[in-house]
Amino acid sequence: MDNLSISRALPLANVHIQDEFWSEYIRLIREVVVPYQWEALNDRVEGAAPSHAIQNFKIAAGLAQGEFYGMVFQDSDVAKWLEAVSYLLETGKDPDLERLADEVIEIIAKAQQKDGYLNTYFSLKEPEMKWMNLAECHELYCAGHMIEAAVAYYRATGKKKLLDVACRLADCIDEVFGAEAGKLHGYDGHQEIELALVKLYHATGTNSYLSLSQYFLNERGTSPSFYDIEFERRNRKTHFSGLNMVRDRSYSQAHLPVRLQETAEGHAVRVVYMCSGMADVAAETGDEELLEACRRLWSNIVNKRMYITGAIGSMAHGEAFSLDYDLPNDTAYAETCASIGLIFFAQRMLQIETRSEYADVMEQALYNTVISGMSRDGRQFFYVNPLEVWPQACDKNKNLSHVKPQRQGWFGCACCPPNIARLLASLGRYMYSTKDQTLYAHLYIGSQVDIELGGHQIGLLQQSQLPWKGNVHFELTVEGAVEFTLALRIPKWCKAAEIRLNGITFQTDDVLVDGYVYINRVWQSGDTVELNLPMPVNRMKGHPLLRETIGKVALQRGPIVYCMEEADNGPNLHQIVIARQTQEQVQYHAEVLGGLQVLSVEAYREQTDGWDNLLYKVEDNIRTESVTATFIPYFSWANRGRGEMAVWVRES
Amino acid sequence: MDNLSISRALPLANVHIQDEFWSEYIRLIREVVVPYQWEALNDRVEGAAPSHAIQNFKIAAGLAQGEFYGMVFQDSDVAKWLEAVSYLLETGKDPDLERLADEVIEIIAKAQQKDGYLNTYFSLKEPEMKWMNLAECHELYCAGHMIEAAVAYYRATGKKKLLDVACRLADCIDEVFGAEAGKLHGYDGHQEIELALVKLYHATGTNSYLSLSQYFLNERGTSPSFYDIEFERRNRKTHFSGLNMVRDRSYSQAHLPVRLQETAEGHAVRVVYMCSGMADVAAETGDEELLEACRRLWSNIVNKRMYITGAIGSMAHGEAFSLDYDLPNDTAYAETCASIGLIFFAQRMLQIETRSEYADVMEQALYNTVISGMSRDGRQFFYVNPLEVWPQACDKNKNLSHVKPQRQGWFGCACCPPNIARLLASLGRYMYSTKDQTLYAHLYIGSQVDIELGGHQIGLLQQSQLPWKGNVHFELTVEGAVEFTLALRIPKWCKAAEIRLNGITFQTDDVLVDGYVYINRVWQSGDTVELNLPMPVNRMKGHPLLRETIGKVALQRGPIVYCMEEADNGPNLHQIVIARQTQEQVQYHAEVLGGLQVLSVEAYREQTDGWDNLLYKVEDNIRTESVTATFIPYFSWANRGRGEMAVWVRES
């Protein structure tokens, strides 16, 4: 099988984001989140649960005394921080930060064992259990994150120290795992190594890394179960007693070989990390069966198991998918990391086949769940992103005990904040891609791009008013006249896109393919393309099989899903019914949460007058009062104290 | 303080139920449930989890070899069976059944230890832990059930063997617990002993039993916590590791002294058993503070924390109350036993103060949740009684894993079936009460009553067409002419009750007090009272603070709450919207589930046409089709295979 001809993301260094909306987020990552995370990793954040992650590496490196502390996957936090740092360094020099990273890399390199093994939990705490409990213990998951960090740092700085560590680690893994007799015929309980090995293959050209990734994917879910075999081998020792990781195969998508999986089952982050690896391997090998499995799982997720905010995972138990059309708003898990993983998966599918549905979901997850995951000051984070919150119930009803009505400082299991950091720090990787003579624009974020296409230097200046206005303006810089195709995505939320080429309306009918308008011409410097995306407030309905949204609508404008908050509407949001035949008012409020477009809608609210002490009574005229319901972007909720929130609202 | 003047329930022997609706249930208890439970207690039900409860007693009695098996409260199943048997014997001779009971009592008496101690778990399994773990181990709870059985058996048969066992057991407890130095200053983790001791006091006249009950109630929730003290005393040993019974004080209502409790917190069954004991002690002692606490907790439960079916307990975690107005339909716990306990509490309050709200709730719980708890053949049982079920979600979404879409044969923790049996076998105790010269009729169930009132023999024949028709007919038999008051409850669901006395309309305006019509006169044999209770279909609304019912109605006719089932309406019940301005059709279907009144309502159903593969889309015209929605009584659901069910329905 040959590799597929795919469109490739532009190197991060070639995309300079200058955007009114996103530059602030990236500044937050650089100036607040990454430094804050550095403090957290070093246990210097007051009042937050200790991380001990750097200390674990120091102890393993022989540079400090003490014992391992933290989750079995604590190492991955350091790796994700390093990966975020790498992206920051790739987009802007920062010698202090680079020195900090170099110091950490020194420690990591010292913590690596002679045979390439690298995992502080097992080195320090259970050396005799190395490679004995893949089902539960995240050994390859941690390795995967370290490999991702290494590739990113190498690309950012050209420095090979961590890349060498990663290669020795991957080689060590290759010695241990594989189809050959004497090797372990296994795979990790948490997918991650699969996509990481493909990155390492790209960075080094070493085929064995691609083969090893392929091996892990092919081995998963085969019979007899590797989890059973290793369970017996370690005398039935378990690490996480509550979660049944060994027996509940679908938790880690080990219930069936990956090619036979029809639906997204189990832990949501694992599913999308696995799918990302599957898409990577399919792209490199042309494995149509694997690609078809990717398409099938994609379709199941986005058409039957995804919240309108681009969130996935319907239940806290197992942080997992449940079943088709089961998307409870209040007990949702909707983990920030899962939406980030969904973006990883979407980008890979988009590179394989340029269909706007992939970019649409990427945008949906990014503008809603991902940035909802972080407070406006970059200091607090959501792990769980429900679509409806009643804070008092979160305190008392144990079905909601995973739902926090306010963002938290740092977590005992701190996967989400560094994941947000590495995604936003590398946002430039998701905006454009190229294939042959085509430059694709997937996301509309103000930026200056400089690339080589077919031997020509091309500069593209994008100015975007998203998400508040749908005006996007491109200006080209080329040397002389260059023929190539500029492909612009038409977002799903826009039904009346207009394009003007050098000020003249451009007819898109014949050149709109799978949601992209292909403009092929001989371009000259100063050529402009205006993309005008009208942005009415859309009242979105859920599929009639969705029990939680029936009889309700969600307001969406452009990519932004809106919600009501107690801060604007008072408590008991469930009493509000918006009027169907009324126009929403759209107003920019510069003073609200750093500037937001706010929606106002005529509505009524059921009253409690006349109920006295009754809990149920015979229906009579429902007493209502007219109110104006105020909606703010979902991502901005929970920045004004503790209160109710609801995305879906009844409509009269 | 003196005892209150309360109305007392008629002895069960004096109430002969002859009712088209209820006689069949009582027959089921006698002919199916109690014999079936006997088989279950003896581990002879194929396919069901073993009980081992009788065997435990045999082993403890030295009559068999083996080890204790079952829950720490397994003994209580035998006691509850004996209690049900007692009620059956009180209402009808059955020498075979009485012989069986006598044999069991022989075994129990032999299992009792010399000092009066009786509990097979501790005798057999952890003798050194007796009275060491009240927080978790149900020792006094089991004792309470044995005492209740003993009193019931004594009343039914006049035999004192088990009563003597109970007295020795109570004396033993009195030796161990109390305010005196050297005694344990404690109370049980599961209330039950409190109400049982008052029964024993009534049966024997021994004051110490009343005092001990009072002691347990007064001690609960005081500081320092008895749970903490005994926890340290037993070196922090726990019995149920998952549930935090020691630290989570509110689970067993030990967070505050009972007189200070404002809201119903924690395990729902414990709350209502406790409240029953509190009402009992208040009635005997005239303790107004305790009575006020009862009123407060009653009001909190029925006005803020009760399902329309008379079910209580909003969450599976801790089988517990959550917070005011939090009544989720699908994740409800709504345990059958909790509604039975609510009836116990209601009856006691009703005896203290004759207010129809108590009888209304008794009726509401009885006709809906309690009989929903049992299948039409008396062989299968619900522990959990949700108001909305989507069976596929119960399989896959772990928030619903406690919800069974079909009744189960017998449970590992088998509290509910014997509780249903003992309640229905003693149904006659809940129908009437007397106080001074007044005979109260609380429930309208066909029956012949023979009592002595003020030295006169009075016979009252009640014929009732409830719950299908609101016609109730009373006929008196007296010797000569006797003056007394007949007080008839006017149910909350009826707004236009009519009474005819000897065929002539009786004006109720001046004699309606707290929901009861008081008819005082000199009665003669042949006097008749007709109570005509019109029974329109009521569309019930939930209080606007109830999130789960807003925008919806529940259909209720008389005391019966209705529901839609998949068997009649197809799947996806959430798509159905009933028409507001339309009359429901009421039809008796003799062939459906033994004869039921079925409701039909014009409705429409949202269609999935035009949705293709989309999960969300911009609102356009909602495609609907006209349908007739069919509703059956809630209690009769899940008798026709596995399928969806919903009580609350949207209304256009």
Side-chain angles (χ1 to χ4, degrees):
Chain A
M1 293 187 278
D2 290 330
N3 62 322
L4 301 175
S5 163
I6 71 167
S7 80
R8 301 257 175 212
L10 299 187
L12 194 51
N14 296 25
V15 182
H16 303 278
I17 292 176
Q18 293 155 336
D19 184 84
E20 232 177 272
F21 187 81
W22 287 104
S23 289
E24 170 63 10
Y25 279 98
I26 296 167
R27 184 192 70 77
L28 274 178
I29 299 301
R30 185 180 295 277
E31 296 179 10
V32 179
V33 181
V34 163
Y36 178 97
Q37 291 179 346
W38 176 246
E39 295 303 298
L41 290 172
N42 286 282
D43 312 316
R44 293 190 295 249
V45 176
E46 218 175 301
S51 159
H52 211 257
I54 296 285
Q55 191 66 11
N56 290 336
F57 276 105
K58 284 185 180 162
I59 298 166
L63 302 170
Q65 296 292 312
E67 287 179 13
F68 178 92
Y69 170 86
M71 305 292 279
V72 71
F73 44 78
Q74 210 75 356
D75 287 2
S76 65
D77 289 347
V78 177
K80 280 194 272 188
W81 179 83
L82 269 177
E83 190 186 342
V85 166
S86 303
Y87 299 139
L88 294 177
L89 294 177
E90 195 172 350
T91 51
K93 291 276 168 218
D94 186 335
D96 290 344
L97 188 59
E98 189 167 335
R99 193 162 50 244
L100 219 54
D102 284 338
E103 286 169 20
V104 172
I105 290 166
E106 281 294 329
I107 298 166
I108 292 170
K110 285 210 175 81
Q112 186 168 39
Q113 299 190 339
K114 283 213 180 80
D115 62 356
Y117 186 85
L118 178 60
N119 184 298
T120 71
Y121 175 84
F122 285 100
S123 294
L124 297 175
K125 200 160 177 180
E126 293 196 278
E128 73 290 357
M129 288 295 287
K130 279 181 200 170
W131 310 128
M132 293 290 279
N133 190 351
L134 277 295
E136 298 183 294
C137 289
H138 296 68
E139 239 164 332
L140 295 175
Y141 167 88
C142 289
H145 276 301
M146 197 55 77
I147 291 167
E148 283 202 272
V151 171
Y153 200 70
Y154 169 65
R155 292 211 189 278
T157 64
K159 293 177 183 171
K160 293 194 72 173
K161 179 140 204 166
L162 191 58
L163 192 68
D164 290 342
V165 167
C167 289
R168 282 198 301 275
L169 174 54
D171 294 341
C172 164
I173 294 166
D174 201 20
E175 288 287 311
V176 174
F177 291 89
E180 298 87 340
K183 290 188 174 182
L184 284 178
H185 308 317
Y187 45 90
D188 204 67
H190 196 315
Q191 300 88 326
E192 156 65 23
I193 188 74
E194 299 83 353
L195 70 86
L197 284 168
V198 178
K199 284 191 176 181
L200 192 60
Y201 161 69
H202 286 154
T204 63
T206 307
N207 281 316
S208 62
Y209 301 146
L210 176 61
S211 303
L212 186 56
S213 173
Q214 198 171 14
Y215 170 77
F216 283 133
L217 288 169
N218 287 338
E219 195 63 22
R220 182 172 298 274
T222 54
S223 289
S225 164
F226 169 66
Y227 294 165
D228 282 345
I229 293 166
E230 62 161 14
F231 187 54
E232 299 302 331
R233 194 162 65 99
R234 65 176 182 269
N235 297 317
R236 301 172 168 252
K237 199 176 162 194
T238 55
H239 186 88
F240 293 107
S241 58
L243 289 165
N244 191 5
M245 292 182 177
V246 176
R247 300 289 184 206
D248 180 5
R249 305 278 152 70
S250 62
Y251 175 75
S252 59
Q253 302 74 49
H255 55 299
L256 280 174
V258 300
R259 289 150 205 273
L260 300 182
Q261 296 185 22
E262 302 273 343
T263 52
E265 300 296 334
H267 188 262
V269 172
R270 284 168 166 82
V271 170
V272 285
Y273 280 24
M274 174 181 83
C275 288
S276 299
M278 287 164 65
D280 280 338
V281 170
E284 294 306 325
T285 62
D287 184 335
E288 186 57 39
E289 194 187 30
L290 198 59
L291 181 57
E292 196 48 41
C294 289
R295 291 194 191 101
R296 212 163 48 227
L297 290 171
W298 171 267
S299 171
N300 181 250
I301 293 169
V302 305
N303 296 324
K304 294 188 175 158
R305 302 187 176 201
M306 185 181 74
Y307 290 92
I308 196 170
T309 51
I312 51 176
S314 295
M315 58 182 176
H317 185 101
E319 306 175 319
F321 289 103
S322 56
L323 66 156
D324 288 351
Y325 300 111
D326 182 46
L327 292 166
N329 292 314
D330 54 351
T331 57
Y333 203 68
E335 187 182 339
T336 309
C337 284
S339 286
I340 291 170
L342 183 60
I343 290 172
F344 296 161
F345 182 25
Q347 183 189 34
R348 284 160 171 85
M349 293 305 290
L350 184 61
Q351 291 179 358
I352 292 172
E353 44 196 22
T354 314
R355 302 169 59 87
S356 61
E357 63 171 304
Y358 299 119
D360 284 334
V361 168
M362 211 157 78
E363 187 184 66
Q364 194 172 358
L366 182 64
Y367 278 93
N368 299 293
T369 300
V370 172
I371 55 174
S372 161
M374 188 166 77
S375 64
R376 290 287 302 175
D377 62 4
R379 291 177 193 278
Q380 295 185 308
F381 303 90
F382 276 136
Y383 197 103
V384 165
N385 296 277
L387 280 78
E388 188 174 305
V389 171
W390 178 19
Q392 292 87 332
C394 297
D395 296 339
K396 301 276 277 179
N397 189 320
K398 301 290 182 192
N399 280 334
L400 297 165
S401 53
H402 62 291
V403 177
K404 307 296 174 208
Q406 293 187 282
R407 292 178 184 82
Q408 311 287 304
W410 192 263
F411 298 91
C413 170
C415 57
C416 296
N419 238 347
I420 294 174
R422 68 182 183 132
L423 178 72
L424 295 183
S426 62
L427 188 59
R429 294 272 299 167
Y430 297 85
M431 293 166 54
Y432 300 99
S433 67
T434 59
K435 178 181 171 182
D436 304 330
Q437 302 302 310
T438 303
L439 170 61
Y440 293 94
H442 305 297
L443 296 178
Y444 298 116
I445 297 173
S447 50
Q448 172 67 44
V449 174
D450 297 293
I451 55 159
E452 201 193 279
L453 200 68
H456 300 278
Q457 283 299 321
I458 296 170
L460 182 68
L461 175 68
Q462 177 182 169
Q463 292 168 299
S464 166
Q465 296 188 281
L466 259 68
W468 310 127
K469 288 185 189 166
N471 305 105
V472 185
H473 184 277
F474 292 95
E475 185 171 344
L476 271 288
T477 317
V478 290
E479 288 195 7
V482 181
E483 182 179 353
F484 69 93
T485 302
L486 179 65
L488 302 177
R489 167 178 152 260
I490 307 301
K492 183 175 61 172
W493 45 262
C494 183
K495 299 298 174 205
E498 286 175 349
I499 293 178
R500 297 172 77 85
L501 180 60
N502 293 325
I504 297 164
T505 299
F506 179 80
Q507 293 301 331
T508 61
D509 300 355
D510 296 340
V511 291
L512 179 66
V513 181
D514 292 336
Y516 283 77
V517 170
Y518 288 80
I519 311 176
N520 175 264
R521 68 193 304 267
V522 178
W523 299 90
Q524 293 187 314
S525 273
D527 280 350
T528 62
V529 179
E530 286 164 64
L531 180 60
N532 183 22
L533 303 168
M535 248 185 217
V537 176
N538 285 329
R539 296 202 179 182
M540 305 300 294
K541 293 278 292 178
H543 190 286
L545 289 174
L546 285 177
R547 284 149 209 264
E548 289 275 329
T549 66
I550 200 128
K552 296 181 175 180
V553 293
L555 303 190
Q556 183 174 345
R557 186 171 175 281
I560 301 292
V561 174
Y562 279 76
C563 68
M564 292 187 291
E565 240 195 343
E566 184 172 334
D568 300 305
N569 300 286
N572 299 310
L573 298 177
H574 66 283
Q575 294 172 345
I576 294 174
V577 182
I578 63 170
R580 185 155 196 209
Q581 308 290 356
T582 184
Q583 190 66 43
E584 306 82 8
Q585 302 299 314
V586 185
Q587 269 195 302
Y588 188 78
H589 289 251
E591 78 292 356
V592 181
L593 301 173
L596 293 176
Q597 217 121 22
V598 172
L599 310 182
S600 308
V601 192
E602 281 176 36
Y604 68 82
R605 180 191 267 279
E606 286 191 29
Q607 299 293 90
T608 53
D609 305 10
W611 275 86
D612 304 323
N613 229 350
L614 292 171
L615 194 53
Y616 307 99
K617 68 172 184 180
V618 177
E619 177 177 48
D620 50 16
N621 286 325
I622 299 166
R623 298 188 200 202
T624 62
E625 64 168 348
S626 292
V627 293
T628 300
T630 301
F631 292 76
I632 61 165
Y634 172 76
F635 71 78
S636 66
W637 86 277
N639 277 295
R640 294 174 294 173
R642 190 178 142 97
E644 290 184 30
M645 182 276 291
V647 168
W648 293 94
V649 59
R650 286 185 295 146
E651 197 189 37
S652 64
Chain B
M1 292 187 280
D2 291 328
N3 62 320
L4 301 175
S5 163
I6 72 168
S7 80
R8 302 257 175 213
L10 299 188
L12 195 50
N14 295 27
V15 183
H16 303 278
I17 292 176
Q18 293 154 338
D19 184 84
E20 230 176 273
F21 187 80
W22 287 104
S23 290
E24 170 63 11
Y25 278 99
I26 296 166
R27 184 192 71 76
L28 275 178
I29 300 301
R30 187 180 291 277
E31 296 179 11
V32 179
V33 179
V34 163
Y36 178 96
Q37 291 179 347
W38 176 247
E39 295 303 298
L41 291 171
N42 285 283
D43 313 315
R44 294 191 294 250
V45 175
E46 217 176 303
S51 159
H52 212 257
I54 296 286
Q55 191 64 12
N56 290 336
F57 276 105
K58 284 185 181 163
I59 297 165
L63 303 170
Q65 295 293 312
E67 287 177 12
F68 179 92
Y69 171 88
M71 305 293 278
V72 71
F73 44 78
Q74 209 76 357
D75 287 1
S76 64
D77 289 347
V78 177
K80 280 193 271 187
W81 179 84
L82 269 176
E83 190 186 343
V85 165
S86 304
Y87 299 139
L88 294 177
L89 294 177
E90 195 173 351
T91 51
K93 292 276 168 217
D94 186 335
D96 290 346
L97 187 58
E98 190 167 335
R99 194 163 47 245
L100 219 54
D102 283 338
E103 286 170 19
V104 172
I105 290 166
E106 282 294 330
I107 298 166
I108 292 170
K110 287 210 174 82
Q112 187 167 38
Q113 299 191 340
K114 284 213 180 81
D115 62 355
Y117 186 85
L118 178 60
N119 183 299
T120 71
Y121 175 83
F122 284 101
S123 295
L124 297 176
K125 202 161 176 178
E126 292 195 279
E128 74 290 356
M129 289 295 286
K130 279 180 202 170
W131 310 128
M132 293 291 279
N133 190 348
L134 277 295
E136 298 183 296
C137 289
H138 296 68
E139 238 162 333
L140 295 175
Y141 168 88
C142 290
H145 276 301
M146 195 57 76
I147 292 168
E148 283 202 273
V151 171
Y153 200 70
Y154 168 65
R155 292 210 188 279
T157 64
K159 294 178 184 170
K160 293 193 72 171
K161 179 141 208 167
L162 192 57
L163 191 68
D164 290 342
V165 167
C167 289
R168 284 198 301 275
L169 175 54
D171 294 341
C172 165
I173 294 166
D174 201 21
E175 289 286 311
V176 174
F177 290 89
E180 298 87 342
K183 289 188 174 183
L184 285 179
H185 308 319
Y187 44 88
D188 204 67
H190 195 316
Q191 300 88 327
E192 157 66 21
I193 188 74
E194 297 84 354
L195 70 89
L197 285 168
V198 179
K199 284 190 176 182
L200 192 60
Y201 161 68
H202 286 154
T204 63
T206 308
N207 283 317
S208 62
Y209 302 146
L210 176 61
S211 304
L212 186 56
S213 173
Q214 199 172 11
Y215 171 77
F216 283 133
L217 288 169
N218 287 339
E219 195 63 23
R220 180 171 299 275
T222 54
S223 290
S225 165
F226 171 65
Y227 296 165
D228 281 346
I229 294 165
E230 61 160 14
F231 186 54
E232 299 303 331
R233 195 164 65 100
R234 66 175 182 269
N235 296 318
R236 301 173 168 251
K237 198 177 162 193
T238 56
H239 186 88
F240 293 107
S241 58
L243 289 164
N244 191 5
M245 292 181 178
V246 176
R247 300 288 184 205
D248 180 4
R249 304 278 153 72
S250 61
Y251 175 75
S252 58
Q253 301 72 51
H255 56 301
L256 279 175
V258 300
R259 288 151 205 274
L260 300 182
Q261 296 185 21
E262 302 273 342
T263 53
E265 300 296 334
H267 188 262
V269 172
R270 284 167 164 82
V271 171
V272 284
Y273 280 24
M274 176 181 82
C275 289
S276 299
M278 287 163 66
D280 279 338
V281 169
E284 294 306 326
T285 62
D287 183 335
E288 185 57 38
E289 194 187 31
L290 198 57
L291 182 57
E292 195 50 40
C294 288
R295 290 195 191 99
R296 211 162 50 227
L297 290 171
W298 171 267
S299 170
N300 182 248
I301 293 170
V302 306
N303 296 323
K304 293 187 177 160
R305 301 187 176 201
M306 185 182 73
Y307 290 93
I308 194 169
T309 52
I312 51 176
S314 295
M315 59 181 175
H317 185 100
E319 307 174 319
F321 289 102
S322 55
L323 67 157
D324 287 352
Y325 300 111
D326 182 45
L327 292 166
N329 292 314
D330 55 351
T331 58
Y333 202 69
E335 187 181 337
T336 309
C337 284
S339 286
I340 291 169
L342 182 60
I343 290 172
F344 296 160
F345 182 25
Q347 185 190 30
R348 284 159 171 84
M349 293 305 290
L350 184 62
Q351 292 180 359
I352 293 172
E353 45 196 22
T354 313
R355 301 169 58 87
S356 62
E357 64 170 302
Y358 299 120
D360 284 335
V361 168
M362 213 159 75
E363 186 185 67
Q364 195 173 357
L366 182 65
Y367 278 93
N368 298 293
T369 300
V370 172
I371 54 174
S372 161
M374 188 167 76
S375 64
R376 289 286 303 174
D377 62 3
R379 291 176 191 279
Q380 295 186 308
F381 304 89
F382 276 136
Y383 197 104
V384 165
N385 296 277
L387 279 78
E388 187 175 307
V389 171
W390 177 20
Q392 292 87 332
C394 297
D395 297 339
K396 301 276 277 180
N397 189 320
K398 302 289 183 193
N399 281 334
L400 298 165
S401 54
H402 62 291
V403 177
K404 307 297 172 206
Q406 293 186 284
R407 292 178 184 81
Q408 311 286 303
W410 192 262
F411 299 89
C413 169
C415 57
C416 296
N419 239 347
I420 295 175
R422 70 183 182 130
L423 178 72
L424 296 184
S426 62
L427 188 58
R429 296 272 297 166
Y430 298 85
M431 293 165 54
Y432 300 99
S433 66
T434 59
K435 177 181 170 185
D436 304 329
Q437 303 301 311
T438 303
L439 170 61
Y440 294 93
H442 305 297
L443 296 178
Y444 297 116
I445 297 174
S447 50
Q448 173 65 45
V449 174
D450 297 293
I451 56 158
E452 200 193 277
L453 201 67
H456 300 276
Q457 283 300 319
I458 297 169
L460 183 69
L461 175 69
Q462 178 184 170
Q463 292 168 297
S464 166
Q465 296 189 281
L466 259 69
W468 310 129
K469 287 185 188 167
N471 305 104
V472 185
H473 184 275
F474 292 95
E475 186 172 340
L476 272 288
T477 317
V478 289
E479 287 192 11
V482 181
E483 183 178 352
F484 69 94
T485 302
L486 179 65
L488 303 177
R489 167 179 153 258
I490 307 301
K492 183 176 60 174
W493 44 261
C494 183
K495 299 297 172 204
E498 286 174 349
I499 293 178
R500 296 171 79 84
L501 180 61
N502 293 325
I504 297 163
T505 299
F506 179 82
Q507 293 300 333
T508 61
D509 299 357
D510 296 339
V511 291
L512 180 65
V513 181
D514 292 337
Y516 281 77
V517 170
Y518 288 79
I519 310 176
N520 175 263
R521 68 193 305 265
V522 178
W523 299 89
Q524 293 188 313
S525 272
D527 280 351
T528 63
V529 179
E530 287 163 62
L531 180 60
N532 184 22
L533 303 167
M535 248 184 215
V537 176
N538 284 330
R539 296 200 180 185
M540 305 300 293
K541 294 277 293 177
H543 190 287
L545 289 174
L546 286 176
R547 284 148 208 265
E548 289 275 329
T549 65
I550 200 130
K552 295 181 177 180
V553 293
L555 303 190
Q556 184 174 343
R557 186 172 175 280
I560 301 289
V561 173
Y562 279 75
C563 69
M564 294 188 289
E565 240 197 340
E566 183 172 335
D568 299 306
N569 300 286
N572 298 310
L573 298 176
H574 66 283
Q575 294 172 345
I576 295 174
V577 182
I578 64 171
R580 185 155 195 208
Q581 308 291 355
T582 183
Q583 191 64 44
E584 307 82 5
Q585 302 299 314
V586 184
Q587 268 195 305
Y588 188 78
H589 288 250
E591 79 291 358
V592 180
L593 302 174
L596 293 175
Q597 217 121 20
V598 171
L599 310 182
S600 308
V601 193
E602 282 176 36
Y604 68 81
R605 181 190 267 279
E606 286 192 30
Q607 299 293 92
T608 53
D609 306 10
W611 275 86
D612 304 325
N613 228 352
L614 291 171
L615 194 53
Y616 306 101
K617 68 173 184 179
V618 178
E619 178 177 47
D620 50 16
N621 287 325
I622 298 166
R623 298 189 200 201
T624 61
E625 64 168 347
S626 293
V627 294
T628 300
T630 300
F631 292 76
I632 61 165
Y634 172 76
F635 72 78
S636 65
W637 87 278
N639 276 295
R640 294 173 294 172
R642 190 179 142 97
E644 290 183 29
M645 182 275 291
V647 168
W648 293 93
V649 58
R650 286 184 295 145
E651 196 189 39
S652 65

